[in-house]
């Protein structure tokens, strides 16, 4: 029987970077995939020279452009898109604005997502959950993957939304996005072999710290691995051209020009939707619904 999945993310491209293989895999399996994006990434750095006039534009011209990129990316994957607080009839693409990094001017703006009232935004996310009725909900760990304020806020508001649901309304399964430490180490080892240096990219050192979402292997309870879905993920990443450059099926980089590997596997930790404590540890499952 087809399942419904809801992925809750902070900015356009986050969904594909972290969960693209999983989304494509489930679409191919006949499942219904939904993505909820909380902002339109107005503070993003723009890579293509011909589009750099959008970066820091006083009228936030980057927002509708990135909305178009996101729409195309989701079309390539085959998922349904929701933007938090959007009101198309009023011409409003998004209710909340990208907060930028901690301490930035953007983070101090009243419309910044990080400053959103938790009760108000929790209600909005709960409305989406009730409308979609997902069997599985996926979002960031408490540190937002890499401590970006909007990612941390996305985790908070998702938990606030779950707290507003009756038991009967809760998704059957809730997951946080994680990366097994051995995978991260392997990816760094493979980058030189895959020719990342030939693209003029910076190769991460073996001593560079990993983000908080890189965890001991045992904390990854569920894995989606699908080489065919990786090709779909790369196609979707190419739609996010203001933010991502895809150099090959194996290599991509963000605006920081640091080489990263596009893996065919993505990891998750199943959690209790109320307490956010680990569920089902001790044996890794090869499907979100195993």
């Amino acid at each position: 029987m087809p399942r419904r999945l809801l992925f809750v993310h902070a900015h356009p491209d986050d969904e594909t970077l972290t969960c693209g293989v999983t989304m494509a895999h489930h679409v191919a399996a006949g499942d219904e995939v939904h993505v909820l994006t909380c902002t339109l990434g107005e503070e993003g750095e723009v890579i293509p020279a011909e589009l750099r006039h959008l970066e820091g534009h006083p009228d936030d011209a980057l927002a509708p452009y990135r909305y178009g990129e996101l729409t195309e990316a989701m079309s390539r994957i085959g998922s349904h898109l929701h933007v938090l607080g959007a009101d198309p009839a009023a011409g409003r693409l998004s209710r909340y604005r990208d907060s930028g990094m901690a301490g930035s001017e953007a983070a101090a703006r009243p419309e910044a997502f990080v400053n959103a009232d938790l009760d108000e935004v929790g209600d909005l996310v709960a409305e989406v959950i009730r409308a979609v009725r997902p069997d599985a909900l996926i979002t960031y760990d408490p540190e937002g993957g890499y401590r970006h304020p909007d990612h941390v806020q996305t985790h908070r508001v998702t938990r606030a939304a779950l707290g507003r649901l009756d038991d009967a309304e809760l998704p059957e399964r809730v997951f946080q996005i994680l990366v097994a430490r051995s995978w991260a180490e392997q990816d760094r080892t493979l980058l030189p072999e895959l020719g990342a240096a030939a693209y003029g990219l910076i190769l991460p050192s073996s001593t560079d710290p990993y983000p908080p979402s890189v965890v001991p292997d045992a904390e990854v309870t569920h894995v989606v691995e699908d080489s065919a879905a990786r090709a779909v993920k790369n196609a979707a990443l190419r739609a996010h051209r203001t933010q991502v450059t895809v150099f090959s099926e194996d290599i991509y980089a963000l605006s920081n020009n640091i080489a990263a590997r596009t893996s065919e596997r993505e990891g998750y930790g199943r959690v209790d939707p109320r307490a956010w404590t680990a569920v089902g540890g001790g044996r890794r499952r090869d499907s979100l619904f195993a």
Side-chain angles (χ1 to χ4, degrees), residues 212-232:
S213 58
V214 175
V215 298
D217 286 24
E219 294 184 25
V220 176
T221 60
H222 292 70
V223 179
V224 176
E225 186 167 358
D226 187 334
S227 58
R230 183 177 74 157
V232 180

Side-chain angles (χ1 to χ4, degrees), residues 36-165:
L36 173 61
T37 301
C38 295
T39 80
L40 291 179
E42 292 86 349
E43 290 296 308
E45 297 177 347
V46 175
I47 297 172
E50 70 274 17
L51 295 174
R52 284 193 191 134
H53 64 281
L54 297 173
E55 185 175 322
H57 194 283
D59 295 327
D60 280 341
L62 184 57
Y65 197 92
R66 291 192 70 180
Y67 176 75
E69 291 181 330
L70 177 60
T71 301
E72 176 60 24
M74 295 303 89
S75 174
R76 294 179 186 187
I77 287 177
S79 62
H80 303 270
L81 174 61
H82 311 260
V83 179
L84 190 63
D87 186 350
R92 185 176 71 194
L93 293 179
S94 175
R95 182 164 183 166
Y96 301 103
R97 192 179 186 279
D98 184 347
S99 308
M101 301 308 292
S104 67
E105 290 184 11
R109 294 175 63 152
E111 70 271 35
F113 184 52
V114 74
N115 297 322
D117 180 83
L118 201 57
D119 289 332
E120 178 183 81
V121 73
D123 286 339
L124 289 175
V125 175
E127 287 177 13
V128 176
I129 297 173
R130 289 189 179 106
V132 173
R133 300 183 64 190
D135 299 292
L137 182 147
I138 300 94
T139 193
Y140 311 114
D141 66 280
E143 298 208 63
Y146 68 105
R147 300 193 179 103
H148 187 293
D150 285 337
H151 288 233
V152 175
Q153 181 75 333
T154 299
H155 171 86
R156 290 177 184 147
V157 303
T158 302
R159 290 196 64 182
L162 291 170
R164 283 156 171 72
L165 302 178

Side-chain angles (χ1 to χ4, degrees), residues 148-248:
H148 187 293
D150 285 337
H151 288 233
V152 175
Q153 181 75 333
T154 299
H155 171 86
R156 290 177 184 147
V157 303
T158 302
R159 290 196 64 182
L162 291 170
R164 283 156 171 72
L165 302 178
D166 295 334
D167 288 347
E169 297 176 309
L170 287 172
E172 174 190 337
R173 294 172 179 232
V174 175
F175 297 92
Q176 57 185 356
I177 303 161
L178 301 174
V179 177
R181 173 85 183 204
S182 66
W183 300 355
E185 292 172 346
Q186 182 185 51
D187 285 350
R188 283 191 180 177
T189 301
L190 285 172
L191 286 171
E193 300 174 22
L194 295 170
Y199 301 110
L201 300 174
I202 301 166
L203 295 179
S205 163
S206 60
T207 59
D208 287 343
Y210 291 106
S213 58
V214 175
V215 298
D217 286 24
E219 294 184 25
V220 176
T221 60
H222 292 70
V223 179
V224 176
E225 186 167 358
D226 187 334
S227 58
R230 183 177 74 157
V232 180
K233 172 176 179 170
N234 275 321
L237 281 178
R238 289 184 174 97
H240 289 292
R241 62 185 297 261
T242 62
Q243 307 299 302
V244 185
T245 304
V246 179
F247 293 92
S248 71

